[in-house]
Amino acid sequence: MADSPPVEIFNISPRVRLTIIILFSCQYFTTACAYAVIAPFFPIVATQRRISHNELGIIFALYSITKAIFSPIVGIFLPRLGVRYALWAGLIFESGSTVLFGFLPNILDRSSFLAFSLVIRAAQGVGSAFYQTAGYSYITAICQDSVATTLGILEISTSIGFMTGPLIGGALYSAGGFKLPFIVLAAVMFVASCVIVYILPPIASQSKSSSAKLMMDLLRIPRVVIICIGLVLLITSITFIDPSFTLHLKPLHLSKTEIGLVFLSLAAAYGLFSPITGYICDRIGFRLLAVLGFLGIGVSLQFLGPAPYLHLPLTVAQTVLAGIAVGASFSLAAIPSFPDILEAASNSRYCQKKGDFNTFSVTSGLFNGFIALGQILGPIVGGTFVKNPGLDFEWLSSILGFIALGQAVIIFVLTIWEGTSFLKIRSVQKDEQSKEAVGDDDEENESKPLLA
């Protein structure tokens, strides 16, 4: 898989950028489907093999555990590996392990079934670490003036994948049994890996600085640490509901479809608001949105329970509205996190020059690693604390909401301490002048073949 000569970032035309964003959106949709497709029927097969609920939880969590471990590692070695190779390798890992997942029912022995489930799920997490870290790095490199907008577009594709994954999996399961959903999604990912290798132009990276040293240096910057901790809190505030929300809704006597629609309200709100948040973030800056997002999550989590001190009854309407508020607020807080970390890294004394791909890869590795850490902590917090007789779902949701409010205050104080503005209005006139300055080059690039 030999690389064609690398191209400079400014030589990639708008048409090619749009093609790449569409390609990545399709990839993120497919991989999100593959992640979510096991939810409807894998637990049934696992129960038939006498797998306990704790063991099943470990199988599901191992994906995020390996992703949290390998994302920073991939970020460090990505400039040496090559971004296209990392994307290809990640998708091959993911597609191969997804196919193997489909054949797990053929294993009748309990111990062997458990061992293979753990290994395959871990392999999926490794693949995710490769293609997500490489994907964010690549998108950041080619869309430096619209990172948040592009991230928002990718997130809506991911949200749609998470929402439709169980539906697609259930339909394919009904049509062809347990194997068919995994075989179909694996085939799509394999084709995507080949398309990526063929279409994506390689990015020139001439940095000679140590990625490992850069990552360790960035973790000593208070701003980076605060934003990364906030990212973990955000993911925890969303994923803690996974093991306990269904039990919380039991007094409402909802059907499985209705419970699914309640879950859907949160994911749909996040998906719909993500590109809007990204667009606004690229125009006015990210700090104001981040503060508003954490404030929104803090308040809406009080009503998701609802908090015992509010003395409100649990109703479907209140739960759905609170879920929509949580999803929308989550997008306001999460989308600005990546450009915030990226700006901190680019403006630090540890970065040799702005626009360095080394900085993009390290930032992407940190971002994905802390997201995975939140995905690990959320279900643990939700499952462990809700089992405590003195701490039910209502109190846990309220406590996490207060922590989110505290994070909003911390970001507010951080912004004042840095002496930066909450708003950074981008000059439209300056953007138009920049576009005119490179207009001739873009027209010339449009006439060039993509892989020339």
Side-chain angles (χ1 to χ4, degrees):
M1 190 172 59
D3 274 353
S4 53
V7 298
E8 296 293 339
I9 295 170
F10 54 78
N11 283 334
I12 298 179
S13 68
R15 184 182 64 184
V16 175
R17 285 190 176 93
L18 178 61
T19 303
I20 293 171
I21 292 173
I22 293 173
L23 179 61
F24 272 93
S25 297
C26 295
Q27 172 211 318
Y28 276 63
F29 168 79
T30 305
T31 52
C33 284
Y35 176 86
V37 75
I38 73 171
F41 39 85
F42 177 74
I44 299 175
V45 177
T47 302
Q48 294 172 351
R49 300 299 183 273
R50 303 186 308 279
I51 301 299
S52 68
H53 289 290
N54 289 336
E55 291 169 335
L56 184 61
I58 293 174
I59 293 173
F60 276 84
L62 200 56
Y63 181 98
S64 299
I65 293 173
T66 52
K67 179 183 172 183
I69 295 172
F70 280 89
S71 289
I73 297 175
V74 174
I76 291 173
F77 290 99
L78 187 59
R80 299 180 183 179
L81 290 174
V83 65
R84 295 197 308 172
Y85 178 80
L87 283 165
W88 174 83
L91 288 173
I92 289 296
F93 248 88
E94 183 93 4
S95 62
S97 53
T98 299
V99 166
L100 293 177
F101 229 106
F103 289 88
L104 282 175
N106 294 345
I107 303 175
L108 302 179
D109 179 68
R110 178 190 179 281
S111 299
S112 300
F113 181 90
L114 177 60
F116 276 95
S117 297
L118 293 172
V119 171
I120 293 172
R121 194 61 172 166
Q124 286 183 315
V126 173
S128 175
F130 269 85
Y131 72 74
Q132 287 197 0
T133 302
Y136 279 129
S137 302
Y138 196 96
I139 287 295
T140 303
I142 67 171
C143 302
Q144 296 181 42
D145 58 342
S146 56
V147 173
T149 303
T150 309
L151 181 59
I153 294 172
L154 295 181
E155 286 303 300
I156 192 173
S157 301
T158 303
S159 298
I160 295 174
F162 280 131
M163 290 186 290
T164 59
L167 298 176
I168 294 173
L172 293 174
Y173 179 83
S174 300
F178 187 91
K179 295 183 180 66
L180 187 60
F182 299 98
I183 293 175
V184 170
L185 290 173
V188 173
M189 284 188 284
F190 177 78
V191 172
S193 68
C194 298
V195 171
I196 282 175
V197 171
Y198 180 75
I199 288 184
L200 291 189
I203 297 295
S205 177
Q206 301 175 350
S207 175
K208 297 181 180 180
S209 61
S210 171
S211 299
K213 185 178 183 302
L214 176 60
M215 181 170 290
M216 297 304 297
D217 289 337
L218 292 182
L219 289 174
R220 291 201 293 263
I221 301 175
R223 174 180 176 181
V224 174
V225 174
I226 290 173
I227 300 302
C228 288
I229 292 176
L231 195 59
V232 174
L233 172 62
L234 277 174
I235 305 300
T236 302
S237 300
I238 296 295
T239 56
F240 89 96
I241 72 175
D242 292 343
S244 54
F245 200 42
T246 301
L247 296 176
H248 172 65
L249 298 176
K250 194 173 182 179
L252 298 176
H253 305 289
L254 301 177
S255 65
K256 291 183 178 179
T257 302
E258 291 170 333
I259 292 175
L261 291 175
V262 174
F263 273 94
L264 184 64
S265 64
L266 192 155
Y270 172 66
L272 290 174
F273 277 89
S274 289
I276 300 173
T277 299
Y279 180 84
I280 296 174
C281 181
D282 284 328
R283 287 342 184 245
I284 70 171
F286 35 77
R287 283 298 171 82
L288 178 62
L289 295 180
V291 172
L292 293 177
F294 277 104
L295 287 175
I297 289 179
V299 173
S300 54
L301 283 178
Q302 307 303 317
F303 291 92
L304 187 65
Y309 65 85
L310 294 176
H311 303 292
L312 295 175
L314 178 65
T315 64
V316 175
Q318 161 257 319
T319 303
V320 171
L321 290 176
I324 293 174
V326 170
S329 301
F330 180 80
S331 71
L332 288 174
I335 297 299
S337 298
F338 182 74
D340 201 342
I341 298 173
L342 181 62
E343 184 183 90
S346 300
N347 293 340
S348 70
R349 65 180 184 274
Y350 308 114
C351 180
Q352 289 186 345
K353 64 176 182 178
K354 289 190 176 182
D356 182 16
F357 186 78
N358 200 27
T359 305
F360 300 153
S361 64
V362 168
T363 303
S364 299
L366 284 176
F367 183 74
N368 281 303
F370 279 97
I371 284 180
L373 182 58
Q375 291 171 338
I376 298 169
L377 293 178
I380 293 175
V381 169
T384 302
F385 285 90
V386 171
K387 289 180 181 178
N388 189 325
L391 184 64
D392 53 15
F393 182 91
E394 291 85 351
W395 274 117
L396 180 58
S397 177
S398 178
I399 291 171
L400 288 174
F402 283 121
I403 296 175
L405 292 175
Q407 178 69 10
V409 174
I410 292 174
I411 295 177
F412 183 87
V413 173
L414 173 67
T415 305
I416 296 176
W417 177 68
E418 290 179 330
T420 56
S421 174
F422 286 95
L423 293 175
K424 295 180 180 179
I425 307 298
R426 175 179 293 180
S427 172
V428 178
Q429 182 179 1
K430 181 178 179 180
D431 285 351
E432 291 177 351
Q433 291 175 352
S434 298
K435 290 179 181 178
E436 291 176 359
V438 298
D440 296 338
D441 291 338
D442 284 343
E443 291 177 3
E444 182 181 350
N445 290 329
E446 290 284 357
S447 64
K448 294 181 180 179
L450 180 59
L451 298 177

